[in-house]
Amino acid sequence: MSVTRQARNIVENPAGRGRVYNRDKFLGEVDYVLQVSQDLPSSEKPSGHLVTGTLRRIDKERILWGSELLTLHLQDNRKLDFVCVNYNPDCEITSAAKFYR
């Protein structure tokens, strides 16, 4: 499965270097490019936001991404829970969760 990018109202484009965790287990350091869009139908998520983007491991080691819920720790100290929807070899993500600290 891959992320389908449709015309959306983009409200933020976070990009930088972060860390990925599976619960408390560190998986690796990544470069990330995200898009936060508005206008997600309210039946899908009450917040009305969808986060999509790409994570690329910086040390070129492979991460066995899988389909588990993971957490990205962003450069600005926010966190985002996400799932990989395509991971060959970079991880394309999607999340209807909000950023948190």
Side-chain angles (χ1 to χ4, degrees):
M1 179 190 331
S2 65
V3 177
T4 303
R5 289 178 175 81
Q6 301 172 346
R8 296 187 189 117
N9 183 18
I10 305 299
V11 295
E12 184 181 1
N13 283 99
R17 186 154 288 174
R19 298 172 319 280
V20 175
Y21 290 84
N22 181 347
R23 296 188 182 132
D24 293 332
K25 182 181 178 188
F26 176 71
L27 297 181
E29 196 168 5
V30 297
D31 286 329
Y32 60 86
V33 178
L34 307 176
Q35 289 186 338
V36 181
S37 59
Q38 243 177 350
D39 303 329
L40 185 66
S42 60
S43 63
E44 292 183 40
K45 183 67 179 171
S47 72
H49 286 90
L50 177 68
V51 180
T52 58
T54 304
L55 307 180
R56 176 173 290 134
R57 179 106 185 225
I58 62 168
D59 61 8
K60 307 299 182 203
E61 291 293 320
R62 295 195 62 115
I63 294 177
L64 299 175
W65 294 105
S67 59
E68 299 175 302
L69 184 66
L70 302 173
T71 302
L72 172 63
H73 293 228
L74 282 74
Q75 191 169 306
D76 63 5
N77 294 321
R78 293 184 293 173
K79 298 176 186 174
L80 177 70
D81 295 331
F82 70 93
V83 293
C84 287
V85 293
N86 187 10
Y87 42 90
N88 188 15
D90 298 336
C91 171
E92 291 184 33
I93 75 163
T94 188
S95 176
K98 292 182 178 182
F99 293 103
Y100 62 96
R101 295 205 185 261

